[in-house]
Amino acid sequence: MKKLPAADRAHILHLLCEGSSIRAVTRLTGASKNTVIKLMIDAGKACAAYHDEHVRDLKSRRVQVDEIWSFTYAKQKNVATAKAAPDGAGDTWTWTAIDADSKFIASWFVGGRDSECGMWFMDDLARQLANRVQLTSDGHKAYLEAVEGAFGGDIDYAMLVKLYGASPETAKGRYSPADCVGARKMPVEGNPDPKHISTSYAERANLTMRMHMRRFTRLTNGFSKKVENHAHSVALFMTYYNFVRIHKTLRVTPAMAAGVSTRLWEVSDIVTLLEAAEPKPSKRGPYKKKISN
């Protein structure tokens, strides 16, 4: 079976991480659509496995969490009438946790926006941290039970509840929310510092995700058709963001700022992860000639 050279693999993955759609990548590289999708899936699996294995004992002080919306196959209101909608069709939420100092995305989770998904997400975040942190979330009620279950009382936790005004007539029916007219800081657990009760860095990271992953771009046909592929694409981008992409303000990658990596990665390093996870080709057995009667 033919195999793409490592340089071609790196080129395809780089295009995907910089916002190109699957079909755009096929036009730019000449690779088939199935080849690009399979490469993205395999790379996403390798990146998720690397993060789970190597990202541990983060010495963060302040962590911000947020959720970003997208949809799979069809928007939630259209799933009931959609033809052959797969499992997971409808609203898809990506939960993210970012270190406010290093901008390192410590944890993420792709799923719904319910309490169960919140618990999965918070449990994973708690496993990544080495010490007590100050945590800030928005006013989503699922965080209350999830944070309590994952951290107990060993956390300084606060919510930043945004206050929205009435939507003008011209904005009704659009995806844009109403104008934010204020925010209320609500300490929930421990003794959080009011100066650092903020979700600005998490929200900015979500914007970066929308700009760098075609699946998150609004009002296009580049949305995910399968929730599994959406999760693999997110895992690939998170590794790219943490280890490859230099943060403009920090002038290093978030992984270097967080002490997770000592060097600047290239996309070729992601290809190396992918190749290390691939099964080794087995040796062919002896050829047995068929004897006809």
Side-chain angles (χ1 to χ4, degrees), residues 89-118:
D91 291 347
T92 304
W93 291 86
T94 302
W95 306 62
T96 58
I98 188 171
D99 184 308
D101 297 307
S102 67
K103 312 304 182 293
F104 184 83
I105 296 181
S107 179
W108 70 87
F109 181 84
V110 176
R113 201 170 179 249
D114 51 33
S115 297
E116 183 179 4
C117 291

Side-chain angles (χ1 to χ4, degrees), residues 144-182:
L144 294 172
E145 183 180 359
V147 173
E148 176 67 24
F151 295 96
D154 189 24
I155 195 168
D156 299 313
Y157 172 46
M159 281 184 164
L160 184 70
V161 181
K162 293 186 177 180
L163 308 175
Y164 294 94
S167 299
E169 290 295 328
T170 56
K172 289 184 177 180
R174 297 170 54 192
Y175 61 80
S176 298
D179 291 336
C180 180
V181 296

Side-chain angles (χ1 to χ4, degrees), residues 221-266:
N221 60 355
F223 53 86
S224 297
K225 312 308 184 290
K226 297 180 181 178
V227 69
E228 295 85 358
N229 290 1
H230 187 88
H232 297 320
S233 177
V234 170
L236 169 62
F237 172 76
M238 292 303 184
T239 302
Y240 177 79
Y241 172 89
N242 281 334
F243 292 89
V244 179
R245 182 178 179 272
I246 296 178
H247 194 280
K248 185 176 180 181
T249 303
L250 300 175
R251 298 185 181 275
V252 293
T253 63
M256 295 171 69
V260 177
S261 175
T262 58
R263 65 179 181 87
L264 174 65
W265 280 31
E266 301 287 344

Side-chain angles (χ1 to χ4, degrees), residues 187-292:
V188 178
E189 185 71 42
N191 187 29
D193 186 347
K195 294 187 301 182
H196 298 300
I197 299 177
S198 171
T199 58
S200 297
Y201 293 128
E203 292 170 3
R204 182 58 183 84
N206 287 348
L207 174 59
T208 301
M209 290 172 61
R210 283 211 185 276
M211 296 170 65
H212 281 260
M213 277 186 283
R214 193 63 173 172
R215 297 166 187 270
F216 284 84
T217 306
R218 297 183 185 271
L219 304 180
T220 72
N221 60 355
F223 53 86
S224 297
K225 312 308 184 290
K226 297 180 181 178
V227 69
E228 295 85 358
N229 290 1
H230 187 88
H232 297 320
S233 177
V234 170
L236 169 62
F237 172 76
M238 292 303 184
T239 302
Y240 177 79
Y241 172 89
N242 281 334
F243 292 89
V244 179
R245 182 178 179 272
I246 296 178
H247 194 280
K248 185 176 180 181
T249 303
L250 300 175
R251 298 185 181 275
V252 293
T253 63
M256 295 171 69
V260 177
S261 175
T262 58
R263 65 179 181 87
L264 174 65
W265 280 31
E266 301 287 344
V267 181
S268 58
D269 291 301
I270 298 179
V271 176
T272 301
L273 294 181
L274 165 61
E275 292 177 342
E278 289 178 338
K280 305 301 180 185
S282 58
K283 185 177 180 180
R284 290 188 60 181
Y287 175 74
K288 295 182 179 180
K289 184 176 181 181
K290 184 178 180 181
I291 302 175
S292 58

